[in-house]
Amino acid sequence: MSAKNTFYITTPIYYVNDVPHIGHAYTTIAADVLARYRRLKGRDVFFLTGLDEHGQKVQQAAAKAGIAPQTHCDKLAPQFQELWTRLNISNDAFIRTTDGPHKSIVQRYLQELFDKDLIYKGSYTGWYCTFDERFWTEKDVENGLCPDCKRPVEQISEHNYFFRMGQYQDRLIDHIKAHDRFVRPEPRRNEVLGFLQTQKLGDLSISRPKSRLSWGIELPFDTHYVTYVWFDALVNYLSALEYKLPSPSVARYWPADLHLVGKDILTTHAVYWSTMLMALNLPLPQTIFAHGWWTVDGEKMSKSRGNVVDPNRMAAAYGVDPFRYFLLREVPFGQDGDFSEQGLARRINSDLANGIGNLLSRTLTMIERNCAGAIPDVPRDYLDGEDAQKKYPLLVQARESLRTLGDRLDALFDGFEFNTALLLVASRVSDADTFIDKHEPWKLAKDPLKQAELHAVLYSAAECLRILSLYLYPVMPGTAQKIAEQLGLSIDFSAPLLRNTVEWGGLQAGTKIRKGPPLFPRVEPKPEGAKPVSDSATPSQPTPAPSAETSAAAVPTPAPPAAPAQITIDEFMKVQLKTAKVLAAERVPKSEKLLKLRVSLGAEERQIVAGIGKKYEPESLVGKNIVIVANLKPAKLMGIESQGMVLAAGDSEVRGLITILEEVDPGTKVK
Ligand code: MSP
């Protein structure tokens, strides 16, 4: 990363030949996350996105719709802009290549290169792919088909203007070798280098005769031609700096820190754009990062398959933040991934509802109940005092791990490792859950001598949430805002909140919390055609390990004894049955049968491991009022402690859980 304080980040400019899809949303969301992160770090960010409105694809789409190309562009542009608003994209500018100033700037650069004899007129015969708008050489073409889109190519011979790209081959190789962050990720860098080192780089045809394509920027030195769409499009990264900001800002922001692109358009960026910049005597961007592609339910996304994912629909159905989270959490950035609604629903339930959502809700419930709805006061030195480590080791650990979180996240964001960054944040959430569970605040609340400890635990949980909201903000800005609001804070997330190390203790005692609705209501995974999410990059549906759970003792669901012996009323009264509300449920890894439930008994919460996983999806149980044996001695099932047993009907197989018709308070006695 450069030492300058500016951070200029771009997305590709999208063709307006159709409405936006998940691929467009992916790059733009990733760019937004990085832009927000850098702003929090105090960088002067310029985040650019926009539309590529010239060229064959757009001309053809307009012709199909029977309207003029400009009318077509004007009709589609708002669909992109509205999507970005909906997805909470914080771009600083939106460029359209039909903007007047952009067209003039492209012409100025063309003239400059023409005057320097870096553009010349020549003739060319080659195989042309109309769809991809590019020529291929004889050896690229197989069976008369374009190697890229597999459509038929045609042989065309025409006069055109060429950019002397070939002469920059060695310089470009040297540049890539000397700058290991220039093309990323590493395998893509090797691909580009490999190509440059083994093939001769030719000159680039940068014009199209108007007879073949009229929808483009006219060459300033020959009105019979328009500019090749890529020459026009790539220039957007510079032209925007000249006219999209109140004052021209090329000197301020160029070279760009990061061009985010999909893997299919890496060559145009790493080779065409880099050599164009060399010819214009301008510095090259710091980094070009090529991300992978999404398939849908294992298939390539395409209109003809009818499986194009509409980001608007995903945001409406599942929420903007969960959708943003899913795209970055599910697949390592740079690799291909598979999108499925089941996968999205599972992530929402397992990571978000059971994770940060549950932590916020339980913390605030306990503060409401035990601290009159205000952040408790804790002796300032409670974590630093001499015996803090002895008294509150888990709190001290949680605080220490949050102290180092910032540095670790910096490294992960620098390395584009969004998924690991989110995993790390999730592990801090579960640290907080663990210290709450271990300290059992519901028990502390009943002991007047343990109030300081109770307050220490609840303060720490709330403070963890405050700090985690800062780190979650780039990926889930709306959620971060809600966490802050529910904690009773008004945080201005547009301020450089991560410029300095985040200090523990920012929450002020006495702040009135404002508990709101759950952050992430659980969603029912779509049953139809439901596939295990393990067909995506993250294996989250482990294959069952039957040997570990075949013993009857491992299945806490009671089965009636084969020959029921009679018991006395006194014997029965020893069994304490209580109502409980299921707060969260998840599968026990490597088990088909076992579910881990978190249930509320009103004054306390418990963890119960139940053998009902074949009958129920964990998500379907949340919110249900069930009956449990409350005084069963805790036991470990597959290494997980179970503090009770749920009642269910059924013999060797569970047929149905015992639930209650009326809404009764959790913890009510059952007799
Ligand atoms: N207009 C050019 C870019 C010019 S940049 C100076 C263009 N536009 S595009 O609309 O076809 O594609 C834009 C981006 O969407 C590319 O980065 C491409 O990789 C990305 N995606 C298109 N389909 C995709 C998926 N299925 N998955 C992920 N990204 C995908 O190319």
Side-chain angles (χ1 to χ4, degrees):
M1 207 52 53
S2 58
K4 64 190 171 68
N5 192 43
T6 52
F7 184 75
Y8 178 25
I9 179 168
T10 67
T11 73
I13 48 172
Y14 305 111
Y15 285 129
V16 280
N17 54 340
D18 213 338
V19 293
H21 58 61
I22 188 180
H24 305 127
Y26 186 43
T27 330
T28 313
I29 289 170
D32 184 61
V33 169
L34 291 172
R36 287 179 187 271
Y37 194 70
R38 298 292 170 215
R39 289 192 198 103
L40 283 182
K41 299 295 290 182
R43 298 280 282 268
D44 164 12
V45 172
F46 185 60
F47 169 19
L48 177 69
T49 188
L51 297 176
D52 190 353
E53 303 195 343
H54 290 124
Q56 196 107 20
K57 284 183 191 174
V58 177
Q59 181 170 295
Q60 279 168 350
K64 211 170 146 199
I67 48 178
Q70 188 64 60
T71 316
H72 168 85
C73 296
D74 293 345
K75 243 174 96 177
L76 274 174
Q79 301 222 27
F80 283 84
Q81 282 165 308
E82 281 157 19
L83 175 64
W84 302 150
T85 306
R86 174 172 221 164
L87 294 181
N88 223 341
I89 302 300
S90 63
N91 54 303
D92 298 293
F94 188 85
I95 189 168
R96 297 180 56 185
T97 53
T98 51
D99 292 346
H102 171 78
K103 291 197 264 188
S104 318
I105 293 163
V106 170
Q107 288 182 326
R108 197 184 74 213
Y109 282 133
L110 283 165
Q111 190 67 52
E112 183 181 330
L113 295 183
F114 186 71
D115 293 344
K116 289 204 260 180
D117 192 33
L118 290 170
I119 286 178
Y120 63 93
K121 193 168 186 180
S123 81
Y124 184 80
T125 306
W127 294 101
Y128 188 74
C129 171
T130 315
F131 183 80
D132 285 331
E133 294 177 51
R134 58 165 291 182
F135 281 99
W136 295 98
T137 60
E138 190 72 44
K139 68 174 177 2
D140 292 326
V141 174
E142 251 182 64
N143 304 323
L145 299 179
C146 164
D148 190 29
C149 71
K150 311 289 179 217
R151 290 176 171 80
V153 289
E154 49 182 330
Q155 198 164 46
I156 290 188
S157 184
E158 64 186 24
H159 276 101
N160 259 317
Y161 287 87
F162 290 84
F163 162 52
R164 295 189 195 278
M165 183 163 76
Q167 71 185 45
Y168 298 99
Q169 181 158 11
D170 290 342
R171 223 175 114 184
L172 184 55
I173 293 174
D174 292 346
H175 185 87
I176 298 175
K177 281 189 178 161
H179 300 84
D180 55 3
R181 286 185 64 93
F182 178 54
V183 177
R184 306 214 52 203
E186 189 70 17
R188 301 275 171 221
R189 174 175 183 257
N190 297 337
E191 251 172 56
V192 176
L193 260 183
F195 151 75
L196 286 170
Q197 286 171 328
T198 53
Q199 292 181 37
K200 188 170 165 13
L201 188 64
D203 289 345
L204 179 69
S205 161
I206 53 89
S207 65
R208 298 289 177 264
K210 275 194 186 163
S211 52
R212 188 149 63 74
L213 174 74
S214 57
W215 184 235
I217 301 174
E218 198 171 82
L219 293 189
F221 40 82
D222 191 336
T223 55
H224 295 101
Y225 291 86
V226 294
T227 316
Y228 168 45
V229 68
W230 273 99
F231 191 99
D232 161 2
L234 290 161
V235 168
N236 95 88
Y237 300 134
L238 273 173
S239 67
L241 298 178
E242 288 197 36
Y243 73 95
K244 283 290 175 186
L245 284 143
S247 56
S249 303
V250 178
R252 179 163 156 205
Y253 290 112
W254 195 260
D257 292 80
L258 179 62
H259 292 318
L260 271 189
V261 299
K263 62 180 182 180
D264 54 317
I265 56 172
L266 177 59
T267 309
T268 47
H269 282 79
V271 181
Y272 297 5
W273 181 224
S274 302
T275 52
M276 281 164 67
L277 287 166
M278 285 175 179
L280 292 167
N281 283 324
L282 286 165
L284 269 50
Q286 302 283 340
T287 299
I288 301 169
F289 187 100
H291 64 69
W293 269 43
W294 287 95
T295 49
V296 177
D297 289 322
E299 295 199 325
K300 194 168 184 255
M301 192 168 66
S302 77
K303 243 184 154 179
S304 54
R305 283 197 178 91
N307 64 351
V308 177
V309 179
D310 173 6
N312 284 295
R313 193 172 76 73
M314 290 306 128
Y318 298 95
V320 171
D321 280 0
F323 179 57
R324 291 171 60 112
Y325 174 87
F326 175 80
L327 292 180
L328 296 178
R329 169 68 186 82
E330 193 67 2
V331 182
F333 203 54
Q335 293 180 22
D336 293 341
D338 189 53
F339 182 88
S340 74
E341 283 190 58
Q342 290 75 34
L344 173 55
R346 275 175 204 267
R347 278 262 170 247
I348 294 175
N349 293 337
S350 67
D351 293 23
L352 300 178
N354 289 355
I356 188 87
N358 185 49
L359 178 63
L360 181 73
S361 135
R362 67 192 299 217
T363 302
L364 296 188
T365 302
M366 289 187 282
I367 291 178
E368 259 181 356
R369 199 168 288 153
N370 302 307
C371 314
I375 301 295
D377 197 3
V378 187
R380 275 290 115 193
D381 63 344
Y382 75 102
L383 280 174
D384 300 312
E386 263 184 14
D387 54 3
Q389 180 65 40
K390 230 187 295 156
K391 266 164 87 185
Y392 309 124
L394 287 166
L395 302 193
V396 174
Q397 266 169 37
R399 186 191 63 170
E400 289 312 308
S401 70
L402 282 178
R403 216 197 274 281
T404 53
L405 182 61
D407 286 345
R408 295 188 61 190
L409 288 176
D410 279 348
L412 291 169
F413 277 106
D414 268 356
F416 303 93
E417 295 183 62
F418 300 110
N419 67 325
T420 315
L422 289 170
L423 201 65
L424 194 63
V425 172
S427 81
R428 297 299 178 262
V429 171
S430 81
D431 288 350
D433 272 325
T434 305
F435 76 65
I436 293 175
D437 292 344
K438 288 276 178 313
H439 284 274
E440 300 180 304
W442 41 93
K443 281 194 186 155
L444 301 176
K446 292 194 188 129
D447 187 341
L449 298 175
K450 298 258 169 84
Q451 295 306 292
E453 185 178 346
L454 171 69
H455 291 170
V457 173
L458 296 183
Y459 179 90
S460 300
E463 179 64 355
C464 282
L465 280 158
R466 179 189 73 87
I467 294 176
L468 290 172
S469 77
L470 305 178
Y471 294 118
L472 281 173
Y473 169 78
V475 177
M476 299 199 286
T479 302
Q481 197 75 53
K482 281 188 204 157
I483 296 174
E485 279 161 16
Q486 294 204 24
L487 287 170
L489 303 173
S490 101
I491 297 182
D492 174 10
F493 285 94
S494 66
L497 301 171
L498 298 181
R499 184 158 49 198
N500 303 315
T501 314
V502 177
E503 294 296 338
W504 179 271
L507 265 181
Q508 297 305 312
T511 307
K512 279 273 173 212
I513 59 159
R514 290 192 294 262
K515 189 172 186 303
L519 289 179
F520 304 102
R522 286 179 172 74
V523 287
E524 273 308 314
K526 252 177 69 177
E528 217 160 286
K531 288 190 195 175
V533 78
S534 55
D535 59 358
S536 74
T538 316
S540 37
Q541 179 89 356
T543 26
S547 58
E549 55 171 326
T550 39
S551 83
V555 183
T557 312
Q566 289 188 330
I567 56 167
T568 64
I569 182 79
D570 286 344
E571 282 173 307
F572 174 69
M573 292 306 278
K574 280 191 198 156
V575 181
Q576 220 184 73
L577 300 176
K578 282 191 174 174
T579 61
K581 190 179 200 85
V582 181
L583 301 174
E586 64 181 276
R587 291 195 175 275
V588 170
K590 297 205 176 62
S591 168
E592 225 187 348
K593 270 190 187 165
L594 296 183
L595 296 188
K596 185 170 97 179
L597 309 181
R598 169 148 296 285
V599 300
S600 162
L601 299 186
E604 65 169 287
E605 286 180 20
R606 290 205 193 175
Q607 171 173 294
I608 297 184
V609 181
I612 53 176
K614 278 193 173 168
K615 172 81 184 160
Y616 294 103
E617 277 305 316
E619 300 79 27
S620 66
L621 297 175
V622 173
K624 293 270 182 311
N625 294 309
I626 59 170
V627 178
I628 68 159
V629 179
N631 60 340
L632 195 69
K633 217 168 147 200
K636 281 203 167 169
L637 302 174
M638 288 188 76
I640 303 174
E641 185 173 299
S642 182
Q643 302 151 338
M645 180 166 90
V646 303
L647 295 192
D651 208 330
S652 55
E653 247 181 52
V654 173
R655 309 274 296 275
L657 264 185
I658 311 294
T659 57
I660 309 143
L661 282 179
E662 272 73 28
E663 184 73 46
V664 295
D665 288 339
T668 306
K669 227 169 135 185
V670 176
K671 28 176 204 176

